[in-house]
């Protein structure tokens, strides 16, 4: 905490490019020349293949590092109670194919302050994204609207309630996934 700001003070001429809106605003408030640039992904590679999805609830990525402690705990609970499939893939075709097998993608990045790139990659591939809310400002800056183009939650109970609702309302699920894409 605070290490980046300390370093940036040593290079006051530098422009800081941030992939998180809230982080860029915090740095600006500290007097730094910070610019928000939303994350991007390879649109030629990642797309909806319009194929049947055989993983109802999934996550692709790492859960081992200490940074991911809360993510790991949340996803492991979902794995036990809801049959979440947690996997890792190689980049490229394997990643594309796996995302296109997942109906509901779960991002559990509590407290990160910004949405991870896999949020947008999975949405581009047609997954309905369930993401831990990174706050109203962050969501607004990216055009994310709860229950319109993404499903946001801030607790396990809220996630469970929204998953039950979405599971019982196929038309809503299809509409949110399409709007997210």
């Amino acid at each position: 905490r605070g290490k980046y700001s300390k370093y940036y003070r040593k290079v006051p001429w530098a422009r800081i490019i941030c992939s998180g809106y809230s982080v860029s605003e915090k740095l600006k408030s500290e007097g730094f020349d910070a610019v928000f640039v939303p994350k991007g992904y390879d649109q030629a590679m990642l797309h909806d293949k319009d194929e049947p999805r055989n993983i109802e609830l999934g996550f692709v990525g790492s859960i081992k590092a200490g940074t991911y402690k809360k993510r790991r705990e949340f996803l492991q609970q979902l794995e036990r109670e809801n049959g979440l499939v947690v996997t890792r893939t190689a980049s490229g075709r394997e990643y594309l194919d796996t995302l296109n097998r997942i109906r509901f993608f779960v991002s559990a990045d509590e407290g990160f302050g910004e949405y991870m790139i896999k949020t947008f990659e999975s949405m581009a591939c047609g997954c309905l994204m369930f993401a831990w809310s990174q706050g109203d400002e962050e969501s607004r800056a990216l055009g994310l609207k709860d229950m319109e183009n993404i499903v946001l939650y801030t607790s396990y109970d809220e996630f469970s309630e929204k998953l039950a609702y979405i599971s019982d309302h196929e038309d809503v699920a299809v509409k949110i996934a399409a709007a997210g894409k």
Side-chain angles (χ1 to χ4, degrees):
R1 183 174 290 278
K3 289 182 181 180
Y4 287 112
S5 295
K6 184 178 177 181
Y7 173 75
Y8 294 146
R9 281 185 186 61
K10 294 178 182 178
V11 289
W13 59 87
R15 170 167 281 167
I16 304 163
I17 309 245
C18 302
S19 61
Y21 176 79
S22 300
V23 171
S24 68
E25 291 300 302
K26 179 184 176 296
L27 290 170
K28 284 180 192 176
S29 75
E30 293 177 23
F32 297 110
D33 180 10
V35 179
F36 170 58
V37 177
K39 291 178 172 81
Y41 60 90
D42 184 349
Q43 295 175 342
M45 176 63 192
L46 296 172
H47 58 277
D48 186 353
K49 294 172 28 178
D50 198 29
E51 297 175 350
R53 296 177 184 269
N54 63 352
I55 299 173
E56 185 71 11
L57 200 58
F59 172 81
V60 179
S62 176
I63 61 171
K64 293 188 180 191
T67 305
Y68 300 133
K69 182 179 188 284
K70 289 181 180 181
R71 172 195 281 179
R72 179 176 52 253
E73 290 170 353
F74 189 91
L75 294 175
Q76 286 174 336
Q77 185 175 0
L78 279 179
E79 197 172 24
R80 284 189 309 273
E81 297 177 12
N82 296 86
L84 173 75
V85 174
V86 176
T87 190
R88 305 251 349 229
T89 68
S91 297
R93 186 72 181 181
E94 183 182 357
Y95 184 53
L96 169 69
D97 291 344
T98 302
L99 288 178
N100 273 273
R101 292 178 58 209
I102 297 171
R103 183 169 179 227
F104 301 147
F105 191 103
V106 180
S107 174
D109 296 320
E110 179 182 353
F112 277 40
E114 66 181 277
Y115 294 95
M116 302 295 99
I117 188 64
K118 65 183 75 238
T119 301
F120 310 104
E121 293 170 337
S122 61
M123 290 168 77
C125 289
C127 302
L128 189 155
M129 169 54 70
F130 281 79
W132 189 280
S133 176
Q134 300 301 321
D136 291 342
E137 284 186 352
E138 195 74 27
S139 297
R140 192 172 23 262
L142 294 165
L144 300 176
K145 296 180 181 172
D146 186 31
M147 300 302 286
E148 288 184 34
N149 58 10
I150 193 167
V151 177
L152 300 173
Y153 61 93
T154 58
S155 69
Y156 187 84
D157 290 341
E158 184 179 11
F159 172 89
S160 297
E161 289 170 15
K162 288 184 174 181
L163 177 61
Y165 176 80
I166 293 292
S167 296
D168 288 342
H169 296 87
E170 177 65 22
D171 58 324
V172 175
V174 168
K175 185 177 175 184
I176 294 171
K181 187 169 64 173

